[in-house]
Structure formats: C-alpha cells, structure tokens
Amino acid sequence: MNPLKPINSFRLTSLLRLQKDPKLALHLFQNPNPQIPQKRFRYSLLAYDLIITKLGRAKMLDEMEKILIQLKGETSFVPKEALFCNIITYYGRARLPNNALQTFDKMPSFRCQRTIKSFNSLLNVFIMCKEFGRMRELFADIERNLKPDACTYNILIRGLCADRRLDDAWKVFDEMRKRDLFPNVVTFGILIYGLCLDLKLKEALDLKNHMARVHGVCPNTHVYASLLKGFCGAGELSSAFGLKEEMVRNGVELDSAIYSTLISGLFKSGRKEEVPGILEEMNLSGCKPDTVTYNVMINGFCKDKDFKAAHKILVEMTEKGCKPDVISYNMILGELCKDGNWSEAKDLFEDMPRRGCAPDIVSYRILFDGLCDGMQFNEAAFILDEMIFKDLWNMAIAMVFKDNKLSSHSKVIDTLMTS
C-alpha cells in the first residue's frame, strides 16, 4: 500500500480498531492525514464511537469530552443513544455522577432522543457512586416523562438493598408488580443478596423456593452464590453444602466463585483438611481454580500462621498457569508482619518483581507499618527512600503522617535524614 495514500473514513475505523494505545488512537483520530491538513476530514459515526470508547475505558475523560464537542458539530448523522449510555457509564466508573447527569441532560442538543435505556444507565451511576438519595429523586423526576421498565425497578431495588433499606426495596418490588412488570431472576437475585447481607438467611432461602414455585423463575448461579456466601459466613456449612448439592441436581453450573466460597467457609470453620476434596471435585467437573480460589487458600493458611503452605500455593499457582496477583502477595506480607516475621516479609517484598508482580502502594504500606511496629526503623527508612526514589511522594507523606503512628514514623524520618 502506498504510505502517502490519504486515509479515508473506512480506513480510519479499521486503524482505530487495531490501535491498542488510546493516546495514539486519539492522535490518529485528530490527524488522519497530516500531509493534507487543509482538507476537512469526513468522520463516520463509527469512528466517533470507537475513539470515545477507547478514551472512556482509559479514563481519559477530558479528551473524551473534547471529542464529544466535536461530534456535536456533525450534521450528517445523529449519534445513537447507546453511545451516550456508554459515556454515562464511564463517568460512573470514575465516580463523577454530576458529569454523568450533565451528559444525560445534553443528549437532546445532539438530536438524540432519550429513552428509558439512558435513564437506567444514569440511575445505575448514582448507585455506583452511592448517591442513594439522589437516585430516588431522579426516579421521581424522570417518571413523569418516561415509563420505567423491569430494569429500572431492578436498579432501584439493588440501590436500596445496597443502602440496607430492605423494607423500601420490598415496597419497590410491590410497586413493580402493580405495574404488571414481572420480576425476573435478576430481581429475585438482588433481593436474596440483600437478605443475605442482613443475615436473614431463612427468609432468603424461602424466597429462593418461592421464586421457583410461585413465579416459575429458576434460581441461577448468582442466586446460589449469594446464599452460599451467607451460610458460609454464618458458619452453617451443612446448609451451604446442601445448596451445592441442589445446584448439581438442578443442573445449575458450579463456577470457581461457588467453590471459592465453600473453600473459604471450610477454612473459617477449621475444616481445611476438606479443601483438597473440593479441589479434586473442581478438577473432575472441569472447573479450574482461578486467582480468587488460590487467594482464598493463601488467606486461610496465613490466618493459621501456616506460611509454608501459603508459599506453596504461590508456587502451585504459577505451575498451573494462574499467575499470582499483588493481592496474593499482600495477604502473606500482612500476616508475616503481624506475626513479627519482618525479615521474611522484606525478602518476599524484594522478590515480588522477580516473580513478575511489582509491589503496589498497599504492599509498601503493609511493610512500612510492619517494620515500624517492630521498631525496625532503619529498614523502614529504606522502604520510604525507595518510595521517594520511585516518585511516590504523596503516598509516602500520607504513610508517614498517619495520626495513630506519628511518633514511631518520626523516628523513621530521623533515620532517613541522618543516613
């Protein structure tokens, strides 16, 4: 292909799909044909969709907003509602509910009609940002212009359950039924999750039976996951394993999250000798342990002060192609420090990069606090010095000036200043 041949709209969309780096994608979008800058490029709606998606996922929100302003000036096409739903969601993930609301409000200026879909996206953002009061106000305001659907009520119920307002969640459920909107497995799953969160396990179990018997809605893996987590958390393992057997009988898939919950329950109940049996069952059913499963075991062994077994899990993970993450190491670091094994904790910390897992700010904080608690001020000063060298100034300052540890941390500063 001739490198000087101008890029057209179709070619631009192909190149944007292939470009993984959002900054380079943005540069390409803004300068598709730098050799002929005087000619106005005719962008397609798909090109806008692709670049906005890349910028939104990369949290380059200021850049995304500039592209949105440019899109507003286009007259040859009208952006689809799904694009704005995505933008609203990106602002939610960034915990910027006001920006999400502004995006919803300005949709008509793009000649894009708002339906219940974009409203549901906005409602979900308020839940993500724990703006429960505004969520209810927004619903009351929008209800005058849009007709809520089952998804709307599910979002409301989830928000109320997250806010521990189960009575209000049931009222919304009743309102949903009055409007002839049928609850689905998501609706019941949210309510069961809320009941388990409040340790109302019998009510949750009754609702699981009721949803199938009365409403003809069969519980899925997510429903059972909430119940299993609730019963394991309460130490009622016989009920948890009974639910697992029920899943098998009913042909409901047992995923790694279900098995991880059971393994966690066994460790908490002092029955870790039964864990190999669960792992064998996973293997026979074709369900591979994931990072969460292994981290549950690492946490269990660390709580039992069995650090040898915890380290063995790290090796086993690598051998089975499941790379340990920073959480895996941080759990061991934390328990080693609590147990006074500062030298071993420091060795593991220093070994993390060689194992392909760089320490994060939590790793630094765990080791720094552990060394200070053990009055290992010289070693703590080295950790602080490394943070400063790596340009983690703000984090280092925040660690040093923790109110409850200021006296011991001041000794680290003295050590650092005199070294």
Side-chain angles (χ1 to χ4, degrees):
M1 181 180 133
N2 184 351
L4 297 177
K5 185 178 179 180
I7 293 174
N8 59 21
S9 179
F10 178 79
R11 179 65 177 150
L12 178 62
T13 58
S14 299
L15 292 171
L16 286 173
R17 285 186 197 278
L18 294 171
Q19 182 54 253
K20 303 298 182 185
D21 188 325
K23 291 182 180 178
L24 292 178
L26 177 61
H27 180 74
L28 174 63
F29 181 88
Q30 292 174 327
N31 304 280
N33 292 307
Q35 70 274 22
I36 44 174
Q38 71 278 8
K39 185 177 179 181
R40 187 179 184 278
F41 191 83
R42 294 178 65 85
Y43 292 95
S44 67
L45 179 57
L46 180 56
Y48 277 105
D49 199 318
L50 286 168
I51 191 62
I52 285 172
T53 299
K54 287 181 181 292
L55 295 174
R57 287 176 177 171
K59 295 186 178 180
M60 296 172 63
L61 302 180
D62 288 340
E63 292 84 350
M64 181 185 75
E65 197 63 37
K66 289 176 183 176
I67 297 297
L68 201 57
I69 293 170
Q70 180 178 326
L71 172 60
K72 193 174 183 180
E74 297 283 357
T75 56
S76 57
F77 48 74
V78 176
K80 299 184 186 306
E81 184 180 24
L83 175 64
F84 290 98
C85 290
N86 289 337
I87 294 169
I88 288 168
T89 301
Y90 297 142
Y91 279 125
R93 290 173 185 168
R95 300 297 183 264
L96 295 169
N98 290 335
N99 297 68
L101 179 58
Q102 288 168 11
T103 300
F104 179 79
D105 286 340
K106 66 187 178 187
M107 283 174 64
S109 68
F110 286 80
R111 308 178 307 285
C112 180
Q113 183 180 1
R114 293 177 296 187
T115 72
I116 196 63
K117 290 181 181 178
S118 50
F119 169 66
N120 286 344
S121 296
L122 181 60
L123 197 62
N124 198 47
V125 164
F126 282 115
I127 291 175
M128 290 167 65
C129 300
K130 301 188 184 302
E131 298 269 0
F132 302 116
R134 291 179 70 185
M135 174 193 76
R136 194 63 179 166
E137 291 173 12
L138 179 68
F139 177 77
D141 183 50
I142 297 297
E143 195 178 21
R144 290 191 286 270
N145 303 308
L146 295 171
K147 185 179 180 181
D149 60 9
C151 181
T152 312
Y153 282 100
N154 286 343
I155 294 170
L156 277 174
I157 291 169
R158 182 157 59 87
L160 292 167
C161 286
D163 199 28
R164 311 298 280 269
R165 291 165 57 188
L166 269 175
D167 289 342
D168 288 333
W170 281 113
K171 289 175 184 175
V172 172
F173 177 82
D174 292 338
E175 184 181 331
M176 180 181 185
R177 295 297 313 280
K178 287 176 185 176
R179 297 197 176 200
D180 292 327
L181 291 170
F182 295 100
N184 53 28
V185 68
V186 175
T187 316
F188 288 110
I190 294 166
L191 286 167
I192 287 170
Y193 171 79
L195 288 167
C196 290
L197 204 61
D198 270 14
L199 296 179
K200 296 179 178 178
L201 302 179
K202 184 181 181 305
E203 291 179 41
L205 201 57
D206 288 343
L207 182 58
K208 187 266 297 179
N209 296 328
H210 179 83
M211 65 184 277
R213 188 177 62 252
V214 177
H215 296 274
V217 179
C218 295
N220 61 10
T221 303
H222 297 295
V223 170
Y224 280 106
S226 294
L227 288 164
L228 279 163
K229 191 172 182 180
F231 280 108
C232 285
E236 297 184 29
L237 286 190
S238 59
S239 296
F241 276 92
L243 284 165
K244 188 205 72 161
E245 294 305 320
E246 182 181 306
M247 291 178 72
V248 174
R249 287 195 305 272
N250 295 339
V252 181
E253 181 186 4
L254 277 78
D255 59 16
S256 60
I258 294 291
Y259 285 112
S260 298
T261 300
L262 290 170
I263 290 170
S264 177
L266 288 171
F267 270 107
K268 288 177 182 176
S269 298
R271 293 164 55 179
K272 65 181 179 182
E273 69 279 357
E274 297 177 44
V275 170
I278 295 292
L279 294 173
E280 180 62 22
E281 183 180 326
M282 289 182 74
N283 183 51
L284 291 173
S285 65
C287 179
K288 289 185 177 181
D290 59 12
T291 308
V292 174
T293 311
Y294 285 114
N295 282 351
V296 165
M297 290 190 282
I298 288 172
N299 183 60
F301 284 125
C302 284
K303 295 294 183 186
D304 283 350
K305 308 299 179 186
D306 191 348
F307 299 111
K308 185 177 179 181
H311 281 284
K312 188 177 177 182
I313 296 294
L314 286 178
V315 175
E316 183 180 331
M317 289 176 74
T318 305
E319 289 175 347
K320 293 190 175 180
C322 184
K323 186 179 177 182
D325 60 11
V326 73
I327 297 172
S328 314
Y329 290 98
N330 285 349
M331 285 190 293
I332 300 178
L333 282 174
E335 292 302 323
L336 283 171
C337 287
K338 286 179 185 177
D339 203 46
N341 294 327
W342 302 293
S343 178
E344 191 175 341
K346 188 170 179 290
D347 288 344
L348 179 63
F349 177 87
E350 292 175 349
D351 201 37
M352 284 174 67
R354 288 191 290 272
R355 297 188 185 202
C357 183
D360 65 0
I361 186 59
V362 177
S363 314
Y364 281 102
R365 187 180 296 120
I366 288 170
L367 188 58
F368 180 77
D369 284 345
L371 291 169
C372 287
D373 289 342
M375 294 185 289
Q376 310 288 310
F377 299 122
N378 286 333
E379 298 293 342
F382 280 125
I383 297 298
L384 200 62
D385 192 37
E386 182 177 330
M387 291 185 71
I388 294 170
F389 177 75
K390 290 186 175 180
D391 214 16
L392 298 172
W393 273 98
N394 292 338
M395 303 298 182
I397 292 169
M399 277 177 17
V400 169
F401 289 99
K402 286 173 69 173
D403 290 340
N404 58 332
K405 295 194 175 184
L406 195 55
S407 58
S408 63
H409 289 182
S410 63
K411 295 176 183 177
V412 178
I413 298 295
D414 293 340
T415 304
L416 189 64
M417 296 297 289
T418 55
S419 60

